Amino acid sequence: MSETYIYDHVRTPRGKGRPDGALHEIPALELASQVLQALRRRTDFPVERLGEVGLGIVMPVGEQGADLTRAALLHAGYGDAVGGYQLNRFCTSGLDTVRMAHALISSGQAQAAIGGGVESMSRVAIGSDGGAFYTDVRLGTRFPYMPNGVAADLLATLDGWTREDVDSYALQSQQRAAHAQAAGHFDKSLVAVRDSLGQTVLERDEAIRPGSSLEGLAKLRPVFGPMAEQGFGFIAKDRYPDVEAIRHIHTSGNSSGIVDGACAVLLGNAGFGRESGIPPRARVLGSVSCASEPLLSLDGPLPATQRLLRSLGMSAADIDLFEVNEAFAVVPLRYMRHFGLDADRVNVNGGAIALGHPLGATGAMLVGTLLDELERRGDGVGLVTLCAAAGQSTALVIERV
């Protein structure tokens, strides 16, 4: 098996995923093409050595459908011979494309590959793809779909987290992200997004709220109670009879933000780096994807991490930094409690609560954020993990070179 290295990565800033967001007028094709062009400019790697390019896209319909990756590669000037695919495994999609690149390279099927993702949430709304989970009663009677927000509140209720707990975590995310942005921690890998005239439309992450306070967060109303009242609360109580009622504590302030964005990660074997003249930045030690109880939905990072660490002969103590996607505040809170982690090792530059969660791109973005921070601190090993709808999760460990 060949060792797989990360050679470089780039991402766009995250733009607010609404009509007045800075990236709303930029379609997903452009977002994806611009990060692919930037990755090639930075490294000048030979595109003919690429075995595959994958982009996570959670809403692969409309202008994000029809294998957008192949279209973006052509639009970005990668030539005729580079193939691409798009992948949807909900929120883990971007990390899964990095994992698939690792699998191709380590198995000798490719010298190099790109993983990444793109999501224009302001243009292609969540739920646009429909699907059996949402609409097929034959599936729903046996495996009822639980909206992620209701699942987050259910998880918090089972664990005993309070509104103050999740708001305090959300404030920490905002403060860390604001500090990281001001200190330039993201600058190394950011690619400004330009319009059709070549004018810059966004250079920095747009969704961070540096003026956040506990008082302000406390004023926000819980979002997911009405969904529970549509019948999902009864489904939860049927599966978890000890829960008298779900306590709804997640709001727009302590849940991940809706944003637009794209990213790309270049991976290859040692020969690719030598022949291309590009020094490696990190080694992929291993990765796993797994599934768990679909109703809880967001609990997957725990078994995924356990399985991955066990396969590598490691423990949580061997990991210097963790990136645990902040889909909802309860996810990293539960993760830290389960593994006994100090907060200063987890999401040290903030996360999706502050920066936003461009669904198909987030996992690959977190790989880049982790790598940059390992290099900045001089640390060695980091782990990335995300939960996904229907009880799925992916985790990946890298080691700085």
Side-chain angles (χ1 to χ4, degrees):
M1 301 289 284
S2 300
E3 288 194 317
T4 301
Y5 297 92
I6 298 175
Y7 285 95
D8 203 9
H9 69 93
V10 294
R11 72 169 177 92
T12 69
R14 297 169 175 93
K16 294 178 182 178
R18 58 196 195 198
D20 62 348
L23 299 182
H24 174 64
E25 297 302 321
I26 311 297
L29 174 65
E30 280 295 333
L31 295 176
S33 297
Q34 290 187 31
V35 292
L36 289 169
Q37 289 169 337
L39 188 64
R40 192 176 177 193
R41 283 197 304 270
R42 283 164 57 113
T43 57
D44 194 29
F45 67 88
V47 294
E48 64 271 13
R49 297 194 182 279
L50 284 178
E52 190 72 274
V53 176
L55 294 180
I57 304 173
V58 175
M59 293 298 135
V61 295
E63 62 188 48
Q64 292 189 164
D67 194 358
L68 178 68
T69 307
R70 172 64 168 163
L73 287 163
L74 293 169
H75 194 52
Y78 275 52
D80 299 342
V82 181
Y85 67 92
Q86 60 188 49
L87 172 71
N88 175 20
R89 200 197 326 240
F90 301 119
C91 298
T92 67
S93 301
L95 187 57
D96 282 321
T97 63
V98 175
R99 182 171 185 251
M100 290 184 179
H102 169 224
L104 283 171
I105 295 162
S106 65
S107 64
Q109 297 181 68
Q111 267 202 318
I114 292 174
V118 62
E119 205 81 37
S120 178
M121 299 182 75
S122 68
R123 298 172 66 92
V124 184
I126 295 177
S128 298
D129 59 340
F133 266 123
Y134 313 130
T135 60
D136 195 319
V137 295
R138 293 168 296 182
L139 180 67
T141 54
R142 294 184 299 139
F143 302 101
Y145 177 79
M146 178 68 74
N148 286 344
V150 180
D153 285 337
L154 172 60
L155 203 62
T157 301
L158 290 168
D159 278 5
W161 298 107
T162 66
R163 173 66 184 272
E164 184 176 356
D165 291 331
V166 293
D167 280 351
S168 295
Y169 182 87
L171 179 61
Q172 175 185 272
S173 181
Q174 292 287 352
Q175 292 172 337
R176 287 180 170 182
H179 174 265
Q181 185 178 68
H185 294 177
F186 302 136
D187 294 354
K188 182 177 182 179
S189 304
L190 278 177
V191 175
V193 178
R194 303 183 185 279
D195 62 17
S196 58
L197 299 177
Q199 298 176 328
T200 298
V201 295
L202 188 64
E203 292 182 296
R204 290 157 60 86
D205 294 300
E206 187 181 28
I208 301 172
R209 299 183 293 275
S212 297
S213 66
L214 279 179
E215 294 76 19
L217 289 168
K219 294 177 182 178
L220 299 174
R221 293 183 179 181
V223 176
F224 304 106
M227 289 185 182
E229 293 170 1
Q230 293 172 8
F232 297 109
F234 293 108
I235 293 171
K237 289 175 66 176
D238 181 63
R239 184 69 59 88
Y240 298 95
D242 292 340
V243 176
E244 294 185 7
I246 298 176
R247 296 195 306 274
H248 295 289
I249 60 174
H250 283 92
T251 69
S252 60
N254 54 44
S255 305
S256 56
I258 295 173
V259 293
D260 305 331
C263 65
V265 182
L266 175 64
L267 302 95
N269 60 21
F272 169 78
R274 286 194 304 269
E275 294 164 15
S276 305
I278 312 169
R281 296 176 60 185
R283 178 187 297 106
V284 179
L285 297 186
S287 63
V288 301
S289 291
C290 73
S292 56
E293 210 279 87
L295 204 64
L296 272 184
S297 186
L298 310 176
D299 191 42
L302 273 61
T305 296
Q306 290 168 333
R307 184 182 300 181
L308 178 55
L309 292 177
R310 186 166 56 247
S311 72
L312 295 173
M314 302 174 73
S315 71
D318 298 314
I319 307 298
D320 295 308
L321 293 175
F322 294 82
E323 286 291 333
V324 182
N325 188 38
E326 296 175 355
F328 302 89
V330 70
V331 177
L333 284 172
R334 182 174 232 234
Y335 191 92
M336 288 189 289
R337 174 189 282 179
H338 180 84
F339 289 104
L341 302 177
D342 294 331
D344 60 3
R345 296 168 61 197
V346 181
N347 301 345
V348 295
N349 288 318
I353 290 173
L355 293 157
H357 178 17
L359 303 176
T362 303
M365 284 185 172
L366 293 183
V367 172
T369 298
L370 178 63
L371 175 54
D372 286 352
E373 189 62 20
L374 288 172
E375 290 177 339
R376 193 184 73 81
R377 293 176 175 229
D379 284 338
V381 181
L383 185 149
V384 178
T385 186
L386 300 89
C387 60
Q392 301 180 92
S393 187
T394 300
L396 180 140
V397 172
I398 64 173
E399 180 181 40
R400 185 173 64 87
V401 175

Short mmCIF file of all heavy atoms in Angstrom, two decimals, residues 245-284:
data_model
loop_
_atom_site.label_atom_id
_atom_site.label_comp_id
_atom_site.label_asym_id
_atom_site.label_seq_id
_atom_site.Cartn_x
_atom_site.Cartn_y
_atom_site.Cartn_z
N ALA A 245 -40.32 14.45 27.41
CA ALA A 245 -40.51 15.48 26.39
C ALA A 245 -39.14 15.97 25.94
O ALA A 245 -38.21 16.05 26.74
CB ALA A 245 -41.34 16.64 26.93
N ILE A 246 -39.03 16.27 24.66
CA ILE A 246 -37.78 16.84 24.15
C ILE A 246 -37.68 18.30 24.58
O ILE A 246 -38.62 19.08 24.40
CB ILE A 246 -37.73 16.74 22.61
CG1 ILE A 246 -37.77 15.29 22.17
CG2 ILE A 246 -36.46 17.41 22.08
CD1 ILE A 246 -37.82 15.12 20.66
N ARG A 247 -36.54 18.65 25.15
CA ARG A 247 -36.29 20.05 25.50
C ARG A 247 -35.64 20.73 24.30
O ARG A 247 -34.53 20.35 23.90
CB ARG A 247 -35.38 20.16 26.73
CG ARG A 247 -35.99 19.59 27.99
CD ARG A 247 -35.22 20.05 29.23
NE ARG A 247 -33.80 19.76 29.12
CZ ARG A 247 -33.25 18.61 29.46
NH1 ARG A 247 -34.00 17.63 29.92
NH2 ARG A 247 -31.94 18.42 29.33
N HIS A 248 -36.30 21.71 23.77
CA HIS A 248 -35.81 22.37 22.55
C HIS A 248 -34.92 23.55 22.94
O HIS A 248 -35.39 24.57 23.45
CB HIS A 248 -36.99 22.82 21.69
CG HIS A 248 -37.79 21.66 21.18
ND1 HIS A 248 -37.32 20.80 20.22
CD2 HIS A 248 -39.02 21.19 21.54
CE1 HIS A 248 -38.22 19.86 19.99
NE2 HIS A 248 -39.25 20.08 20.77
N ILE A 249 -33.61 23.39 22.68
CA ILE A 249 -32.63 24.38 23.11
C ILE A 249 -31.76 24.89 21.96
O ILE A 249 -30.98 25.83 22.16
CB ILE A 249 -31.73 23.83 24.23
CG1 ILE A 249 -30.95 22.60 23.75
CG2 ILE A 249 -32.54 23.49 25.48
CD1 ILE A 249 -29.94 22.08 24.76
N HIS A 250 -31.89 24.29 20.78
CA HIS A 250 -31.06 24.75 19.67
C HIS A 250 -31.77 25.86 18.89
O HIS A 250 -32.95 25.76 18.58
CB HIS A 250 -30.69 23.59 18.74
CG HIS A 250 -29.61 22.72 19.31
ND1 HIS A 250 -29.88 21.62 20.08
CD2 HIS A 250 -28.25 22.82 19.25
CE1 HIS A 250 -28.74 21.05 20.45
NE2 HIS A 250 -27.74 21.76 19.97
N THR A 251 -31.01 26.88 18.59
CA THR A 251 -31.51 28.08 17.91
C THR A 251 -30.64 28.35 16.69
O THR A 251 -29.67 27.63 16.41
CB THR A 251 -31.43 29.29 18.85
OG1 THR A 251 -30.04 29.64 19.05
CG2 THR A 251 -32.07 29.00 20.21
N SER A 252 -30.97 29.41 15.98
CA SER A 252 -30.11 29.81 14.86
C SER A 252 -28.74 30.26 15.34
O SER A 252 -27.78 30.29 14.55
CB SER A 252 -30.78 30.94 14.08
OG SER A 252 -31.00 32.06 14.93
N GLY A 253 -28.61 30.58 16.62
CA GLY A 253 -27.33 31.04 17.16
C GLY A 253 -26.40 29.95 17.61
O GLY A 253 -25.19 30.17 17.73
N ASN A 254 -26.93 28.77 17.94
CA ASN A 254 -26.06 27.68 18.38
C ASN A 254 -26.13 26.47 17.44
O ASN A 254 -25.80 25.35 17.83
CB ASN A 254 -26.36 27.28 19.83
CG ASN A 254 -27.82 26.95 20.05
OD1 ASN A 254 -28.44 26.24 19.25
ND2 ASN A 254 -28.39 27.44 21.15
N SER A 255 -26.56 26.73 16.20
CA SER A 255 -26.57 25.73 15.14
C SER A 255 -25.71 26.25 13.98
O SER A 255 -25.39 27.44 13.90
CB SER A 255 -28.00 25.50 14.64
OG SER A 255 -28.86 25.15 15.71
N SER A 256 -25.33 25.36 13.09
CA SER A 256 -24.46 25.76 11.98
C SER A 256 -25.16 26.74 11.05
O SER A 256 -26.37 26.65 10.82
CB SER A 256 -24.00 24.54 11.19
OG SER A 256 -25.09 23.78 10.73
N GLY A 257 -24.38 27.65 10.48
CA GLY A 257 -24.93 28.66 9.59
C GLY A 257 -25.04 28.17 8.16
O GLY A 257 -24.25 27.34 7.69
N ILE A 258 -26.02 28.68 7.44
CA ILE A 258 -26.23 28.37 6.03
C ILE A 258 -25.36 29.31 5.20
O ILE A 258 -25.51 30.53 5.25
CB ILE A 258 -27.71 28.52 5.66
CG1 ILE A 258 -28.54 27.47 6.42
CG2 ILE A 258 -27.92 28.39 4.15
CD1 ILE A 258 -30.04 27.64 6.25
N VAL A 259 -24.44 28.73 4.42
CA VAL A 259 -23.47 29.54 3.67
C VAL A 259 -23.18 28.90 2.31
O VAL A 259 -23.51 27.74 2.07
CB VAL A 259 -22.14 29.70 4.45
CG1 VAL A 259 -22.33 30.53 5.71
CG2 VAL A 259 -21.53 28.34 4.78
N ASP A 260 -22.53 29.66 1.45
CA ASP A 260 -22.03 29.20 0.16
C ASP A 260 -20.51 29.06 0.26
O ASP A 260 -19.85 29.83 0.97
CB ASP A 260 -22.34 30.21 -0.95
CG ASP A 260 -23.82 30.55 -1.05
OD1 ASP A 260 -24.65 29.69 -0.71
OD2 ASP A 260 -24.13 31.68 -1.48
N GLY A 261 -19.95 28.09 -0.49
CA GLY A 261 -18.49 27.98 -0.49
C GLY A 261 -18.01 26.74 -1.23
O GLY A 261 -18.80 25.86 -1.58
N ALA A 262 -16.71 26.69 -1.47
CA ALA A 262 -16.09 25.56 -2.18
C ALA A 262 -14.66 25.38 -1.71
O ALA A 262 -14.05 26.31 -1.16
CB ALA A 262 -16.11 25.79 -3.69
N CYS A 263 -14.12 24.18 -1.93
CA CYS A 263 -12.74 23.90 -1.54
C CYS A 263 -12.19 22.76 -2.39
O CYS A 263 -12.95 22.02 -3.04
CB CYS A 263 -12.65 23.54 -0.06
SG CYS A 263 -13.50 22.00 0.33
N ALA A 264 -10.87 22.60 -2.36
CA ALA A 264 -10.21 21.50 -3.08
C ALA A 264 -8.94 21.13 -2.34
O ALA A 264 -8.21 22.01 -1.87
CB ALA A 264 -9.89 21.91 -4.52
N VAL A 265 -8.68 19.81 -2.23
CA VAL A 265 -7.52 19.27 -1.53
C VAL A 265 -6.76 18.37 -2.51
O VAL A 265 -7.34 17.45 -3.08
CB VAL A 265 -7.93 18.46 -0.29
CG1 VAL A 265 -6.69 17.95 0.45
CG2 VAL A 265 -8.81 19.31 0.65
N LEU A 266 -5.47 18.62 -2.69
CA LEU A 266 -4.63 17.84 -3.59
C LEU A 266 -3.89 16.77 -2.80
O LEU A 266 -3.13 17.09 -1.87
CB LEU A 266 -3.64 18.75 -4.32
CG LEU A 266 -2.61 18.06 -5.21
CD1 LEU A 266 -3.28 17.35 -6.39
CD2 LEU A 266 -1.57 19.08 -5.72
N LEU A 267 -4.08 15.51 -3.19
CA LEU A 267 -3.41 14.39 -2.54
C LEU A 267 -2.62 13.60 -3.58
O LEU A 267 -2.97 13.60 -4.77
CB LEU A 267 -4.41 13.46 -1.85
CG LEU A 267 -5.31 14.07 -0.78
CD1 LEU A 267 -6.65 14.49 -1.38
CD2 LEU A 267 -5.54 13.08 0.37
N GLY A 268 -1.58 12.92 -3.14
CA GLY A 268 -0.80 12.11 -4.06
C GLY A 268 0.15 11.20 -3.31
O GLY A 268 0.31 11.30 -2.08
N ASN A 269 0.78 10.29 -4.03
CA ASN A 269 1.80 9.44 -3.41
C ASN A 269 3.14 10.15 -3.42
O ASN A 269 3.27 11.28 -3.90
CB ASN A 269 1.85 8.07 -4.10
CG ASN A 269 2.20 8.16 -5.58
OD1 ASN A 269 2.78 9.16 -6.05
ND2 ASN A 269 1.88 7.12 -6.33
N ALA A 270 4.16 9.50 -2.87
CA ALA A 270 5.47 10.14 -2.76
C ALA A 270 6.07 10.43 -4.14
O ALA A 270 6.69 11.48 -4.35
CB ALA A 270 6.41 9.26 -1.95
N GLY A 271 5.87 9.52 -5.10
CA GLY A 271 6.40 9.73 -6.43
C GLY A 271 5.81 10.94 -7.11
O GLY A 271 6.51 11.67 -7.82
N PHE A 272 4.52 11.18 -6.89
CA PHE A 272 3.88 12.36 -7.48
C PHE A 272 4.55 13.63 -6.99
O PHE A 272 4.82 14.55 -7.78
CB PHE A 272 2.40 12.37 -7.12
CG PHE A 272 1.69 13.65 -7.44
CD1 PHE A 272 1.31 13.96 -8.73
CD2 PHE A 272 1.41 14.57 -6.43
CE1 PHE A 272 0.66 15.15 -9.03
CE2 PHE A 272 0.76 15.77 -6.72
CZ PHE A 272 0.38 16.05 -8.01
N GLY A 273 4.84 13.70 -5.71
CA GLY A 273 5.49 14.89 -5.16
C GLY A 273 6.89 15.08 -5.70
O GLY A 273 7.27 16.20 -6.07
N ARG A 274 7.66 14.00 -5.76
CA ARG A 274 9.03 14.11 -6.27
C ARG A 274 9.05 14.56 -7.72
O ARG A 274 9.80 15.47 -8.11
CB ARG A 274 9.74 12.76 -6.14
CG ARG A 274 10.15 12.38 -4.73
CD ARG A 274 11.13 11.21 -4.75
NE ARG A 274 10.59 10.06 -5.45
CZ ARG A 274 9.91 9.08 -4.88
NH1 ARG A 274 9.66 9.13 -3.58
NH2 ARG A 274 9.47 8.05 -5.60
N GLU A 275 8.21 13.93 -8.54
CA GLU A 275 8.21 14.23 -9.97
C GLU A 275 7.61 15.61 -10.27
O GLU A 275 7.93 16.21 -11.29
CB GLU A 275 7.44 13.14 -10.71
CG GLU A 275 8.13 11.78 -10.64
CD GLU A 275 7.21 10.64 -11.01
OE1 GLU A 275 6.14 10.92 -11.60
OE2 GLU A 275 7.54 9.47 -10.72
N SER A 276 6.75 16.10 -9.38
CA SER A 276 6.12 17.40 -9.59
C SER A 276 6.86 18.52 -8.90
O SER A 276 6.55 19.70 -9.13
CB SER A 276 4.67 17.36 -9.08
OG SER A 276 3.95 16.31 -9.67
N GLY A 277 7.81 18.17 -8.04
CA GLY A 277 8.57 19.19 -7.32
C GLY A 277 7.76 19.87 -6.24
O GLY A 277 8.02 21.04 -5.91
N ILE A 278 6.80 19.16 -5.65
CA ILE A 278 5.94 19.74 -4.62
C ILE A 278 6.20 19.01 -3.30
O ILE A 278 6.07 17.79 -3.22
CB ILE A 278 4.44 19.58 -4.96
CG1 ILE A 278 4.17 20.03 -6.39
CG2 ILE A 278 3.58 20.37 -3.99
CD1 ILE A 278 2.79 19.67 -6.89
N PRO A 279 6.57 19.72 -2.25
CA PRO A 279 6.80 19.05 -0.96
C PRO A 279 5.48 18.67 -0.30
O PRO A 279 4.51 19.44 -0.33
CB PRO A 279 7.54 20.10 -0.13
CG PRO A 279 7.09 21.41 -0.72
CD PRO A 279 6.88 21.16 -2.18
N PRO A 280 5.40 17.50 0.31
CA PRO A 280 4.17 17.12 1.01
C PRO A 280 4.02 17.91 2.31
O PRO A 280 5.01 18.32 2.93
CB PRO A 280 4.38 15.63 1.30
CG PRO A 280 5.86 15.47 1.38
CD PRO A 280 6.43 16.45 0.38
N ARG A 281 2.78 18.11 2.71
CA ARG A 281 2.51 18.85 3.94
C ARG A 281 1.99 17.94 5.06
O ARG A 281 2.17 18.24 6.24
CB ARG A 281 1.49 19.97 3.67
CG ARG A 281 2.01 21.03 2.72
CD ARG A 281 0.96 22.06 2.38
NE ARG A 281 0.48 22.75 3.57
CZ ARG A 281 -0.52 23.63 3.57
NH1 ARG A 281 -1.14 23.91 2.42
NH2 ARG A 281 -0.91 24.21 4.68
N ALA A 282 1.33 16.85 4.69
CA ALA A 282 0.80 15.94 5.71
C ALA A 282 0.63 14.56 5.10
O ALA A 282 0.52 14.41 3.88
CB ALA A 282 -0.53 16.44 6.26
N ARG A 283 0.59 13.56 5.96
CA ARG A 283 0.35 12.18 5.57
C ARG A 283 -1.02 11.76 6.09
O ARG A 283 -1.37 12.06 7.23
CB ARG A 283 1.44 11.29 6.16
CG ARG A 283 1.31 9.82 5.90
CD ARG A 283 2.34 9.02 6.68
NE ARG A 283 3.70 9.35 6.27
CZ ARG A 283 4.56 10.08 7.00
NH1 ARG A 283 4.17 10.54 8.19
NH2 ARG A 283 5.76 10.34 6.56
N VAL A 284 -1.79 11.07 5.27
CA VAL A 284 -3.07 10.52 5.73
C VAL A 284 -2.78 9.19 6.40
O VAL A 284 -2.28 8.25 5.77
CB VAL A 284 -4.06 10.33 4.56
CG1 VAL A 284 -5.37 9.72 5.08
CG2 VAL A 284 -4.34 11.66 3.86
#
